[in-house]
Structures are given as C-alpha cells and as structure tokens.
Amino acid sequence: MADGTETESRKLLGRLREEMASEAAGQERLDRITHLIADSIRAEVCSIYLFRDEDTLELCATEGLAPEAVHKTRMRMGEGLVGRVAQSGKVVNTPDAPSAKGFRYMPETGEERFSSFLGVPVQRLGQKLGVLVVQSRDARKFSADEVYALEVVAMVLAEMAELGAFVGEGAALSPLHQQSLQLSGGPAQEGSAEGHVWLHEPRVVVTNPIAEDPHRERERLTEAVEELRVGVDKMLEISQGGDKEQLQVLEAYRMFANSKGWMRRMEEDIALGLSAEAAVEKEQSQARARMGQVTDPYLRERLADLDDLSNRLLRILTGQGGTNGVDLPPDPILIARNIGPGDLLEYGRSLKGIVLEEGSVGSHATIVARALAIPLVVHVGRITTEALNGDHILVDGNEGVVHLRPEDTVVSAFRDKIAMQAKAQERYASIRETPTVTRDGERINLVMNAGLMADLPSLGNSGAEGVGLFRTELQFLIRNQMPKRSELVAQYQRVLDAAGDKRVVFRTLDIGSDKVLPYMKHVAEPNPALGWRAIRVGLDKRGVMRMQLQALLRAANGRPLTIMFPFVAQADEFREARWEVNKTIEREKRLGHVLPETLEVGAMLETPSLAFAPQKFFDEVDFVSIGGNDLKQFFFAADRENELVRRRYDTLNVSFLTFIERIVERCDISNTPLSFCGEDAGRPVEALCLAAMGIRTLSMRPASIGPVKSVLLRADLQSVRKIIADARHRGEQSVRPAVMEWLRNQG
Ligand code: PEP
Ligand code: MG
C-alpha cells in the first residue's frame, strides 16, 4: 500500500476517534463524519446510508448531495447502486455510475452531476448496517488503496453504530438492539417459552476500534496470535489418537492460525489505523459475508472454523467473553449459531427455550432438545447478531416464531396462549392413569418413543404404558467415539431399571441417511435415504451388530427383552438378523450369562415392499412396527427432510390409509401384534384415524400422549371408520376434512 494512503488513512481514523470522543449528538456527528471523509478522500461527495428497517436504506448524512434529501431519499435492498452494495455485501467501484448496472436516478439528491461512484458495505459480523458512498465529478475509478481505506472506515462506522454513536431521531438512527423484532424460523421442538436471552457465545464488544500506535497494535496482535497458536497446539496434543473429526477441525484451526494471508491482512488493517481487535473483527466480518454466499458445505465449514478462531482471538485481545462466573439469567433462552449435543446436555433442563441461527430439524442438538422437551426454533436468521444477553424473548416452538424484545400487546397475547396450554396440560394430567378405551370399547395402547436417559422420567409423568421405540442410535450419535460394550450394557440396564415392568422395545442401531456417526467412515452416497442404512449396515458390519445384541442380552440379565430391527425391506434381512440374535444367545449361554426370561424379535415396516412380503414372514416375526416417517416418504416418494415436499402429502390421504389397513389385515391373519411409531402417531387426528384403521398400539413423543388420549377417550372408532369409508366412497383425496368436521360436531 502506498505510504501516502496509509498516512492519510491513519489521519482520517485519528479524526474519527476525536469524533467518537466528542459530545456531538447522532445527526451532528454523522454530518461531521461525511465531511471528514470527503475531505480526506478528496471526493466531492460522501454519504452515509443506514437501514431504517430490514429492507429499506435511508440517506442519513451527506456532504455534497442536496441536504434536503437527507432522511427523505430511501431505497430498498437491491435497488440502485447503493441497494446493490447492501444486498451483495460487496464493493461497487465505477467511473461511470449512470451507465452502471442497476443505477437509479434520484432527482432530489442532485447526484446526476457525479460520475464516479464507490460504495462499500457497512457491516458488522454478518449484520448489515448500511452503505458508505463517495462520489466525484470526474470519471475516475478509485484505486485499490482507496477502496481498502474506505472499507477500513466503514468498519469503524459499523463499530461506532454498535456503540450507539449515531443514535438520534427517526427509525434509521434508532439505537441498535432495542427494537422489537419478530423473527421466523423452523419449528423443531414444540412448546412455548418466555424468558431472557442467554448467548451461548457472548458477543465481544470492541470499544477502541481506532489505535494511535500501529507498532504497539501489531505487537498486541502478534502476542495474541502466539497465545492462540499455543492453545490450538495444546488442544491438538490432547486430542491425538482421539476422535478423527475433532482432529481435522483442530488441524484446520492450526492452518488458519498459521496462515500468512490472514495475518498479513490484519497487519495491513492495523497499518491503516485500526486497533488489533478491530482488525480481527474486520476480517471476521468479511469471512462471514463470504459464508453467506458459499454453498459448498466443506468450504462453509472451513469459514465457520475461521469464525470460531477469530472469536477466540478477540477474547484473548479484549479479555471479554468468558462465561465463567456469569450467572444464567432467570428463565434462560439459549441463543446460538449452532450448538453441539454435548454442550446442550450440559445446560440440561435449566434452559426454557432454544433458538438457533442454523441447526436443523434432524440435527443432534434437536434430538437432545426434544428429549429434554425444550421448545426449539431453528434457522432463525440474524438472531445472534440482534439479541443481547438479558433481552426479553418469547419462543413459539409450535409455529417457529421468535419475538425479541416484544411489545406489551404481544407479551399478553403470548401469555394467554401459554395459560391455555397449561390448562390443557392440567386436563391431560387428570387422565394420566385412565386406560385408553374408546367409547365403543376398543382398548388402545399408548406408549412412548425415547432414546436418551433424559427421556426416561417421562415414562412416569406422561402416562405412557411402555417404550414402543427406544432409538438406540442416539447414544451413539451424541458421542465422539464408538461406545464400549460395557457402557452400552450399563445404559440399557438403566433404561430397563427405569421402566420396571413396562415393556421397552429396543430398536437396534439405525444409522445412515440423516443419522451419520461422526466417528464412522463417511460413505458419500447419491441418495442416502435409499442407501446404506439401518439393518443394511448392521448386516454388513456384523461386529457392531453382535456387540449391541450382546449388550442388550446382558442388560436384560434374566428380565424380558424386546428387540426390533429397523428398515427391513425383505423377509430374508429379518431372518439373517434373527439368526444373528440366536447365535449371540448361544454364545452368551456358553459364556455362562443369564438369558432373558422372554425374548421378542420384531421388524420395522418402513418400506412398502415389506407389506407385500409372503405371509410366512408375518408368521415368523414376533411383532411389526410401522415406521411411518420413513414409510410415508417412500410411499409418496417425498423426502422427509426436504422442506419443499415434506408437507405436501397428507397422512390422511385415502391411498395411505388404505395401505395401512392392508398391513393391519396381513398382521391379523397371523395374529402378529402391530404398532405404529412414526411422528404421526402423536398427532391426535392422525392417531384417531390410525386407530380406526385397526392399529392398537401407538408410540409417540411423551408430550403427545395426553392430547392423543383425550381425543381417543371421546371417540367412537366405528363411526370414524364409517366417515373414512364414506369419504373414500365419494372419491375424496384426503379424509381430513370429513374427520375434522365429525370431530367439531362431537364438540
Ligand atoms: C420412522 O421412520 O417412522 C421411525 C420411527 O424411525 P426414524 O424416525 O427414527 O427413522
Ligand atoms: Mg425410520
């Protein structure tokens, strides 16, 4: 960089620092800053545009454009050159603005006189705050050094905005982090919660973005990076021989920590007048902006690594951000970009709700949140940049909506809703011990789905009559390495102890598809849901299957045991697995272990093919459980993980119900017990129709047992069957409207 620009830039930042220290109010300060920048860059125009709402930019100060246009000229995201800079997060530098793509003429500003245009985004850690523009009459392209210098200034403006330096009248100058916001995301665990923000990774505030002595700042940066490197090396040393994935992440950390490019860019920022921490944050902001544009998952991960590393560096430089000694606020609602299952389990039930900027419906954190019954909303854009520790927040896990710093009217409506839910819960508690018998005398068995130790207390307080599906893979998924057999024995023992004389159906390891074990070699497959998963993996990796079967037999230690194999597509797969069970029993007997009192071995029906297996299969199997989540995705050829299609087909579609009825008939012929354990079993209307089709055991999330039982107790299955038959006869696609109407008439 040319020395001249460097000195100029430092001078400008020095003057900006004086501005920060001055008494001036928001508008006055902005006016003086535009003047300073225009003067320093020798451009006729300098303007600052800030967001007045999520989508609208407002001209907030200008040197050189018509002063009457201030707070009048507005543009939407993407509109005109300024809107283009804001939307793309990228610099626009052109000597001939009127001919540039997207140029929009704004007569009130008088800007037609200016030919060259340089606009840079004002953004802080992924949060878009505005656009800084310089323009000049002569048709020149601003030099790379000038662009760079303006980016540095934009960074300082972003820090000043964060610190409240421009607060004044009007929406565009309103303080950050104080407005009420409603943000939408994806519902991942139902329930509602009111509480206060707890940032999993507290935000570091840079109070000194500009520094006087670049030598000192460079030293500070070098020392901090050295401390960081030593820390990463130490972590690597500790992790040697351990989890491969973690090692890879640490190797990537080390690579970045030693990256000359990263260091050089930060040193250049410092040379222009930024403090060490502001330089780190500037590079971090730019990496985050890139992260928004990169779609390749590997590159996104690496950018996320760089982001984590920058956070560590910022914490070293500022001494802020450690959570040690800081108390959780009352009713904490955890806010994070993402969180691992281990961290989440550590917080445990102290959390009232969780809001993630990323995350996904099938992620491990979601599994844990479900087990702990903590309302969770995922994919909530901007939440980590908008929320501050302690902010009042409402989380609606049913709708996937979050209200940050809500208005009083929103709070009272929300509280009414929570009160109604609490009333319903009371009603469910009053029928907890009541056996589920419909009005026409059909006894329905309501059991629960589980998978973590955290689920077990629900066995008592939900009224579940047993565990219809224990997803054993969850114990494997939340760990960094393959559990040992002895650990599994201890876990399964605890499950059986907690269940007492209630039946527990242990499903063997169901991995593959969306459930990837971090420590198992990942096989890239074109269609993982149709790929190497569940029993297919078990039969190909007999060692793991045997180890788990042994652990189950030993945990039972003379008690009754129920084992279920997932994703059986044809009878022979079940036969082979059963053969493996028999072999394991023989081995256990030889070793002198006590065998289970009784043993049932069942199969999950999750592919349509198994419904058409020879009748002999239904004679052989001890029981069948319909895995409705998978069965439905294959029946309708609609990916259960794909938001574009996953809600497209109704479970109450006549074809699907007819198919279920067919499975019931096949099991009836052989007197084979049949249950249904997909998510639909926990939805009252769906559960009612499944029962009407002849299913007598429904396995669901514990929280669904009350609502499902309440509907079944009032239902007459014969009538529902007739409603369904009539709707089918009329040629309707779904029986939902007819069943809903019947339910409404029942009151
Ligand atoms: C199912 O597919 O319905 C099921 C219960 O299994 P999972 O959701 O674990 O795939
Ligand atoms: Mg399944």
Side-chain angles (χ1 to χ4, degrees):
M1 173 168 301
D3 270 357
T5 316
E6 198 171 298
T7 324
E8 272 306 312
S9 172
R10 255 213 310 279
K11 252 197 241 156
L12 173 57
L13 291 198
R15 287 162 79 185
L16 281 177
R17 190 183 32 212
E18 281 162 23
E19 251 331 302
M20 273 171 83
S22 78
E23 291 286 300
Q27 185 65 52
E28 192 188 336
R29 189 176 261 154
L30 276 171
D31 292 341
R32 294 212 310 233
I33 288 176
T34 48
H35 175 76
L36 280 180
I37 299 173
D39 186 39
S40 158
I41 288 223
R42 286 182 207 93
E44 281 104 346
V45 176
C46 172
S47 311
I48 296 174
Y49 297 80
L50 297 173
F51 278 99
R52 56 175 285 121
D53 59 46
E54 207 184 320
D55 197 41
T56 320
L57 284 153
E58 181 172 298
L59 175 65
C60 286
T62 185
E63 169 79 15
L65 295 183
E68 309 81 70
V70 171
H71 296 302
K72 301 257 163 21
T73 292
R74 290 179 191 158
M75 62 271 301
R76 299 183 77 78
M77 191 77 123
E79 189 184 359
L81 293 184
V82 174
R84 199 175 115 196
V85 174
Q87 188 168 49
S88 64
K90 287 188 186 147
V91 171
V92 171
N93 181 10
T94 168
D96 183 9
S99 326
K101 184 175 126 220
F103 176 78
R104 211 196 90 193
Y105 170 56
M106 303 215 204
E108 73 277 16
T109 63
E111 71 176 339
E112 74 271 30
R113 292 176 289 135
F114 302 103
S115 177
S116 51
F117 174 103
L118 168 60
V120 300
V122 178
Q123 56 195 2
R124 186 177 181 276
L125 301 180
Q127 187 181 14
K128 295 181 173 184
L129 299 170
V131 177
L132 171 64
V133 174
V134 290
Q135 291 170 277
S136 67
R137 205 166 271 129
D138 52 331
R140 68 169 166 128
K141 191 157 182 192
F142 291 92
S143 70
D145 287 347
E146 284 171 321
V147 173
Y148 192 53
L150 204 68
E151 281 183 319
V152 169
V153 172
M155 152 77 196
V156 173
L157 290 183
E159 289 306 326
M160 290 173 88
E162 175 73 18
L163 294 171
F166 307 135
V167 172
E169 273 177 39
L173 299 190
S174 60
L176 297 174
H177 312 299
Q178 288 192 16
Q179 284 151 308
S180 294
L181 281 179
Q182 178 182 322
L183 301 168
S184 296
Q189 165 62 24
E190 61 209 24
S192 312
E194 174 175 0
H196 299 93
V197 166
W198 174 253
L199 291 165
H200 178 53
E201 285 195 323
R203 190 198 318 274
V204 172
V205 183
V206 175
T207 48
N208 58 334
I210 307 163
E212 240 169 300
D213 180 356
H215 297 292
R216 175 72 200 111
E217 292 307 302
R218 205 170 297 146
E219 265 170 30
R220 287 183 63 228
L221 180 69
T222 313
E223 283 162 18
V225 169
E226 195 43 43
E227 194 178 326
L228 181 77
R229 281 181 192 151
V230 171
V232 173
D233 284 347
K234 248 198 211 130
M235 286 196 287
L236 257 167
E237 225 168 86
I238 296 169
S239 310
Q240 281 310 331
D243 171 25
K244 235 181 175 174
E245 178 105 334
Q246 196 185 342
L247 270 177
Q248 272 169 4
V249 170
L250 288 174
E251 289 289 358
Y253 275 9
R254 178 151 71 178
M255 189 187 81
F256 283 124
N258 289 305
S259 153
K260 292 214 169 61
W262 188 45
M263 198 63 194
R264 194 196 59 237
R265 281 195 304 278
M266 290 192 291
E267 282 176 352
E268 281 172 3
D269 297 333
I270 288 174
L272 287 180
L274 289 186
S275 65
E277 40 274 66
V280 176
E281 216 179 75
K282 175 169 173 288
E283 294 312 315
Q284 190 180 13
S285 285
Q286 291 184 341
R288 282 216 186 157
R290 280 201 296 278
M291 205 162 5
Q293 283 151 7
V294 170
T295 47
D296 180 88
Y298 177 79
L299 281 181
R300 277 183 69 87
E301 280 296 315
R302 297 292 75 85
L303 283 169
D305 291 342
L306 180 59
D307 197 62
D308 285 345
L309 206 64
S310 305
N311 278 335
R312 280 168 198 266
L313 197 51
L314 277 176
R315 277 186 231 136
I316 295 173
L317 279 163
T318 61
Q320 297 172 30
T323 45
N324 293 348
V326 183
D327 291 334
L328 285 174
D331 300 327
I333 307 267
L334 181 112
I335 309 287
R337 193 155 52 83
N338 226 334
I339 186 167
D343 281 349
L344 203 48
L345 278 169
E346 243 165 64
Y347 283 111
R349 289 185 204 273
S350 59
L351 299 176
K352 286 278 169 289
I354 306 167
V355 183
L356 300 181
E357 196 152 313
E358 295 177 1
S360 78
V361 180
S363 73
H364 305 161
T366 303
I367 293 167
V368 174
R370 282 190 175 161
L372 298 171
I374 301 173
L376 164 67
V377 184
V378 295
H379 288 305
V380 181
R382 301 200 288 142
I383 188 71
T384 58
T385 42
E386 290 288 356
L388 289 185
N389 261 339
D391 276 350
H392 188 196
I393 183 168
L394 311 174
V395 179
D396 184 339
N398 305 335
E399 305 290 331
V401 173
V402 173
H403 302 274
L404 186 61
R405 302 177 285 263
E407 309 276 357
D408 290 349
T409 47
V410 175
V411 177
S412 62
F414 193 84
R415 286 186 183 155
D416 287 349
K417 199 166 144 185
I418 292 188
M420 266 169 61
Q421 285 168 355
K423 262 216 180 101
Q425 286 306 330
E426 272 172 33
R427 213 175 53 242
Y428 302 146
S430 71
I431 53 171
R432 191 165 49 208
E433 306 304 331
T434 313
T436 314
V437 181
T438 62
R439 286 220 322 261
D440 52 341
E442 292 292 345
R443 174 76 166 90
I444 314 288
N445 204 12
L446 301 186
V447 288
M448 66 176 239
N449 296 344
L452 293 173
M453 292 302 155
D455 290 318
L456 297 177
S458 301
L459 243 179
N461 51 37
S462 68
E465 297 178 72
V467 177
L469 167 66
F470 190 89
R471 293 179 159 108
T472 60
E473 65 276 6
L474 300 196
Q475 299 288 354
F476 287 71
L477 280 166
I478 61 170
R479 306 168 66 106
N480 292 327
Q481 58 200 41
M482 182 76 90
K484 294 196 186 79
R485 187 181 53 206
S486 56
E487 289 168 330
L488 291 181
V489 175
Q491 268 164 8
Y492 301 153
Q493 246 164 9
R494 279 166 64 198
V495 176
L496 288 169
D497 291 348
D501 49 13
K502 290 179 177 169
R503 178 175 181 252
V504 179
V505 180
F506 287 99
R507 171 173 81 182
T508 60
L509 203 52
D510 182 8
I511 50 166
S513 189
D514 59 322
K515 299 169 194 155
V516 181
L517 292 189
Y519 41 86
M520 221 163 120
K521 192 166 176 289
H522 179 59
V523 190
E525 295 179 89
N527 282 306
L530 303 176
W532 196 56
R533 51 179 295 201
I535 195 169
R536 301 172 182 178
V537 178
L539 292 174
D540 291 353
K541 294 243 170 240
R542 297 285 170 114
V544 180
M545 187 194 253
R546 271 177 218 143
M547 191 260 284
Q548 193 181 24
L549 292 174
Q550 254 176 348
L552 285 166
L553 289 164
R554 287 186 196 177
N557 192 26
R559 289 178 277 193
L561 178 65
T562 311
I563 298 173
M564 174 163 80
F565 288 101
F567 211 67
V568 177
Q570 55 184 11
D572 275 357
E573 287 170 342
F574 175 73
R575 289 184 187 126
E576 266 186 70
R578 184 158 208 163
W579 182 85
E580 209 50 74
V581 175
N582 294 341
K583 289 293 283 181
T584 312
I585 289 179
E586 274 169 30
R587 203 173 310 118
E588 289 296 284
K589 207 163 148 188
R590 274 204 308 277
L591 292 172
H593 290 288
V594 186
L595 297 180
E597 184 188 356
T598 55
L599 175 69
E600 291 173 274
V601 185
M604 279 187 87
L605 194 157
E606 305 188 83
T607 61
S609 61
L610 197 66
F612 300 97
Q615 192 61 36
K616 191 159 180 289
F617 162 74
F618 292 91
D619 297 337
E620 287 170 4
V621 68
D622 292 334
F623 64 93
V624 170
S625 189
I626 298 177
N629 304 334
D630 273 309
L631 185 64
K632 206 176 138 191
Q633 84 166 334
F634 298 119
F635 188 78
F636 289 111
D639 185 345
R640 64 191 263 192
E641 292 286 317
N642 182 341
E643 283 300 329
L644 290 172
V645 296
R646 72 190 205 98
R647 287 174 229 273
R648 200 177 177 103
Y649 303 98
D650 193 352
T651 306
L652 303 193
N653 179 301
V654 167
S655 318
F656 191 63
L657 288 184
T658 307
F659 183 52
I660 296 288
E661 203 176 20
R662 178 90 182 103
I663 300 168
V664 172
E665 283 161 14
R666 301 221 58 198
C667 286
D668 279 353
I669 295 170
S670 301
N671 261 334
T672 310
L674 173 67
S675 62
F676 187 106
C677 63
E679 293 299 309
D680 285 319
R683 302 192 172 104
V685 182
E686 281 80 342
L688 175 66
C689 293
L690 291 169
M693 290 295 98
I695 301 218
R696 291 292 168 266
T697 299
L698 296 165
S699 191
M700 63 197 76
R701 288 190 217 165
S704 303
I705 290 189
V708 167
K709 189 188 278 192
S710 155
V711 166
L712 288 174
L713 286 176
R714 285 178 286 138
D716 167 3
L717 295 187
Q718 279 307 325
S719 309
V720 181
R721 258 188 102 78
K722 176 148 185 349
I723 305 287
I724 294 174
D726 290 348
R728 187 188 275 158
H729 190 69
R730 286 195 301 273
E732 282 163 21
Q733 179 170 284
S734 166
V735 303
R736 188 176 298 277
V739 174
M740 291 301 287
E741 198 196 329
W742 181 81
L743 274 173
R744 267 194 301 275
N745 293 339
Q746 297 295 297

